[in-house]
């Protein structure tokens, strides 16, 4: 039986292109079998800079078992993400990488099917459910950060556990209990499998661990669905279980489980990454801690009060700081697609069936769009500073039809987290904290960002 990520298991995919199909695109093949996989995993930004410096904003590369053409810059982002002419398949782009662990997730759907499921799932992100999530986030974050005072912590680990607990409450609507450690490990194993050099689930490999983790999580979700269909819960899981499509039909149990598996991973891993980069940057730029603290104080909250949902939009500078952290360290540094038809870009003819990659991390640091790009400057995102900037120069949440469904949830969670942190603490980084990062599959600091949250007088 063919594995889910292979062409044999997906006869509706375009067939593989011959090697010579991309002979006119400049680039390189790398090592036998593995191509440039190890060079990319070692230092993705350095690899991207080298390739762009040598070959330009369109280049060919071989890695993770296949060849692709990389298109770089805001114009490329707009072409691929906005996809006005429906040239690109997200399913066939992500499928070879993710189909063994996240099949049929929203990101792995195209066109009408994607639109239909996205519309059905969007019920969980309407204002009333979001208000409910905000209340839960305030309670959960306040309780967790109270225990961070005046002691060394590794922020990445602490916020990852917090994000998982919050996802359990907001997404699952239940405490994780004794299975918490196993659930967390399962999500870690799934994500690590997505970049495993060995792409088959051979026992003992990262891919095998990822496939087993998926089996465990899907079984967990399937067991819970009947109770959610008949309950009155306000969590994402219950909302999905009770949602109906345009024809009044509910999602199947398998569809609900697949969406939960993907969305819970995306929610807690990407928010963990972006919250960590924001705390690191605030630790390095203390004056911005003070500015955000003043903004938070202007809300006039009581000491034991969280930030109400209706007040979140007043945290404008906090949102700018979050956007700047997402620019400097986007939680999804690149996005794959597959060309469904021949097209041209920057003078190159690219054939149907080509795997396409866009380099979000590189675009976010192009000095022609972001002067002094390595400097932390949230004021880049004021209306005045943003005027005239290419709309697709900043795409941490993707764009077009596949714009991240949970972007407002992520922004809400980080605003609430910053409110509770900065009202209580001054962020102090340990020497050298966060100097090196692992970028794939989702960025995290190799040292887990050692910090001290110093209680304010």
């Amino acid at each position: 039986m063919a594995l889910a990520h292979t062409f044999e298991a997906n006869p509706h995919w375009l067939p593989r292109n011959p090697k010579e199909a991309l002979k006119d695109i400049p680039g390189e093949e790398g090592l036998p079998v593995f191509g440039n996989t190890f060079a990319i995993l070692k230092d993705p930004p350095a690899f991207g800079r080298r390739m762009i410096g040598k070959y330009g904003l369109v280049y060919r590369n071989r890695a993770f078992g296949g060849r692709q053409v990389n298109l770089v810059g805001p114009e490329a982002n707009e072409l691929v993400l906005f996809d006005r002419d429906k040239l690109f398949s997200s399913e066939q782009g992500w499928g070879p990488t993710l189909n063994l662990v996240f099949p049929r997730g929203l990101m792995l759907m195209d066109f009408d099917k994607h639109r239909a499921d996205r519309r059905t799932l969007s019920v969980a992100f309407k204002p009333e459910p979001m208000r409910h999530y905000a209340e839960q986030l305030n309670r959960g974050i306040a309780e967790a950060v109270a225990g961070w005072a005046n002691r060394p912590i590794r922020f990445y680990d602490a916020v990852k556990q917090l994000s998982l607990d919050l996802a359990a409450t907001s997404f699952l609507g239940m405490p994780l209990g004794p299975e918490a450690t196993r659930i967390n490990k399962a999500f870690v194993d799934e994500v690590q499998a997505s970049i495993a050099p060995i792409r088959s689930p051979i026992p003992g490999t990262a891919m095998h661990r990822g496939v087993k983790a998926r089996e465990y999580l899907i079984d967990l979700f399937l067991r819970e669905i009947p109770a959610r269909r008949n309950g009155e819960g306000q969590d994402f899981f219950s909302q999905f279980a009770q949602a109906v499509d345009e024809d009044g039909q509910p999602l199947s149990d398998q569809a609900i489980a697949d969406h939960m598996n993907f969305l819970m991973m995306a929610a807690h891993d990407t928010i963990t990454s972006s919250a960590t980069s924001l705390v690191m940057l605030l630790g390095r730029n203390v004056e911005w801690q003070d500015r955000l603290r003043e903004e938070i104080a202007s809300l006039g909250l009581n000491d034991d009060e969280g930030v109400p949902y209706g007040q979140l939009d007043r945290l404008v500078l906090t949102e700018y700081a979050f956007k700047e952290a997402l620019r400097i360290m986007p939680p999804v540094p690149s996005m794959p697609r597959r060309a469904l038809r021949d097209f041209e870009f920057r003078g190159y003819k690219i054939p149907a069936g080509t795997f396409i990659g866009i380099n979000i991390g590189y675009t976010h640091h192009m000095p022609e769009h972001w002067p002094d790009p390595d400097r932390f400057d949230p004021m880049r995102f004021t209306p005045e500073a943003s005027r005239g900037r290419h709309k697709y120069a900043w795409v941490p949440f993707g764009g077009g039809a596949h714009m991240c469904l949970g972007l407002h949830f992520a922004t809400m969670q980080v605003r609430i987290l910053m409110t509770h942190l900065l009202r209580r603490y001054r962020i102090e980084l340990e020497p050298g904290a966060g100097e090196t990062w692992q970028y794939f599959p989702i960025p995290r600091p190799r040292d887990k960002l050692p910090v001290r949250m110093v209680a304010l007088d």
Side-chain angles (χ1 to χ4, degrees):
M1 181 177 174
L3 296 172
H5 68 308
T6 63
F7 283 80
E8 291 74 18
N10 296 278
H12 61 291
W13 290 2
L14 293 179
R16 292 182 182 87
N17 284 354
K19 177 181 177 180
E20 58 271 18
L22 300 178
K23 61 181 175 59
D24 294 330
I25 309 295
E28 55 194 57
E29 293 289 293
L31 298 171
V33 182
F34 294 106
N36 291 308
T37 299
F38 296 117
I40 293 173
L41 291 177
K42 181 180 179 181
D43 192 339
F47 178 82
R49 288 192 298 269
R50 181 180 73 79
M51 295 292 280
I52 293 164
K54 187 173 182 179
Y55 301 110
L57 297 178
V58 179
Y59 66 89
R60 168 177 48 82
N61 177 40
R62 187 169 67 92
F64 301 105
R67 291 177 184 82
Q68 71 172 22
V69 171
N70 292 271
L71 311 178
V72 184
E75 295 80 8
N77 295 343
E78 181 172 19
L79 173 73
V80 174
L81 296 175
F82 186 62
D83 196 16
R84 178 181 56 203
D85 299 321
K86 295 186 177 181
L87 274 172
F88 303 103
S89 168
S90 187
E91 178 196 346
Q92 293 184 44
W94 285 107
T97 303
L98 297 184
N99 254 11
L100 281 176
V101 284
F102 299 112
R104 300 173 298 278
L106 196 61
M107 195 167 68
L108 282 81
M109 292 180 171
D110 287 329
F111 311 127
D112 289 346
K113 176 59 176 170
H114 170 263
R115 183 191 61 80
D117 274 33
R118 183 184 176 96
R119 181 170 180 172
T120 302
L121 296 175
S122 67
V123 66
F125 296 91
K126 292 186 181 299
E128 197 51 44
M130 290 286 280
R131 194 181 312 277
H132 174 71
Y133 308 146
E135 294 172 359
Q136 293 181 318
L137 292 173
N138 269 300
R139 286 195 297 270
I141 290 172
E143 181 179 347
V145 304
W148 296 353
N150 300 318
R151 65 183 181 87
I153 62 171
R154 295 195 179 272
F155 185 80
Y156 179 86
D157 288 342
V159 80
K160 183 173 177 62
Q161 185 59 57
L162 172 58
S163 294
L164 180 65
D165 291 342
L166 295 172
T169 303
S170 299
F171 280 71
L172 287 177
M174 66 183 198
L176 296 179
E179 287 193 285
T181 300
R182 187 177 179 190
I183 291 172
N184 191 30
K185 185 178 185 304
F187 282 119
V188 169
D189 286 346
E190 283 187 319
V191 171
Q192 290 303 313
S194 69
I195 59 163
I198 298 174
R199 305 305 300 160
S200 295
I202 300 167
T205 64
M207 183 60 80
H208 184 261
R209 290 190 291 274
V211 169
K212 289 299 180 185
R214 169 182 164 73
E215 291 174 0
Y216 161 71
L217 289 168
I218 292 296
D219 181 65
L220 173 71
F221 297 139
L222 288 174
R223 290 199 311 267
E224 287 286 325
I225 288 173
R228 301 316 172 95
R229 286 200 189 278
N230 301 312
E232 298 180 354
Q234 293 181 284
D235 53 272
F236 283 84
F237 198 0
S238 297
Q239 297 274 340
F240 293 166
Q242 295 165 28
V244 295
D245 63 20
E246 294 170 325
D247 298 321
Q249 297 300 310
L251 293 168
S252 69
D253 286 8
Q254 187 63 54
I256 294 168
D258 286 334
H259 285 310
M260 285 297 301
N261 182 47
F262 174 72
L263 291 171
M264 271 199 71
M265 176 281 297
H268 96 274
D269 263 21
T270 56
I271 291 176
T272 295
S273 176
S274 53
T276 300
S277 61
L278 176 56
V279 164
M280 178 186 73
L281 292 163
L282 291 175
R284 293 176 180 173
N285 299 271
V286 178
E287 71 280 7
W288 271 99
Q289 289 189 50
D290 296 335
R291 292 184 70 170
L292 299 191
R293 197 173 286 114
E294 289 175 9
E295 179 178 70
I296 292 163
S298 72
L299 298 182
L301 304 175
N302 298 325
D303 287 345
D304 58 351
E305 185 182 10
V307 55
Y309 179 73
Q311 298 269 54
L312 288 170
D313 285 345
R314 293 178 59 188
L315 297 176
V316 176
L317 292 179
T318 305
E319 181 180 357
Y320 291 167
F322 182 43
K323 286 183 172 181
E324 177 71 339
L326 291 170
R327 180 191 70 82
I328 291 174
M329 189 68 70
V332 183
S334 62
M335 291 184 186
R337 294 290 191 269
R338 196 171 186 217
L340 297 175
R341 300 189 301 280
D342 298 352
F343 71 100
E344 291 190 21
F345 183 72
R346 290 188 175 272
Y348 292 100
K349 295 182 178 180
I350 301 171
T354 300
F355 286 92
I356 302 295
I358 58 170
N359 191 326
I360 293 170
Y362 186 91
T363 304
H364 282 190
H365 287 81
M366 295 176 76
E368 58 265 47
H369 303 289
W370 308 101
D372 195 5
D374 294 330
R375 181 168 60 92
F376 179 69
D377 180 13
M379 300 308 286
R380 299 178 197 272
F381 290 93
T382 65
E384 296 76 21
S386 300
R387 192 172 295 120
R389 183 183 300 136
H390 197 294
K391 182 180 178 181
Y392 283 80
W394 184 82
V395 286
F397 296 109
H402 279 272
M403 177 79 79
C404 174
L405 186 62
L407 71 91
H408 296 301
F409 180 85
T411 302
M412 177 175 73
Q413 181 166 325
V414 170
R415 277 171 161 167
I416 293 172
L417 175 63
M418 289 300 110
T419 299
H420 287 280
L421 272 184
L422 295 176
R423 287 171 68 199
R424 290 172 169 82
Y425 304 126
R426 184 173 67 255
I427 301 166
E428 294 187 357
L429 300 181
E430 297 294 337
E435 286 188 355
T436 61
W437 283 61
Q438 173 184 310
Y439 287 89
F440 285 138
I442 295 173
R444 63 178 176 84
R446 295 188 186 278
D447 61 5
K448 308 297 183 70
L449 198 71
V451 302
R452 185 178 291 269
M453 298 293 174
V454 179
L456 298 172
D457 297 332

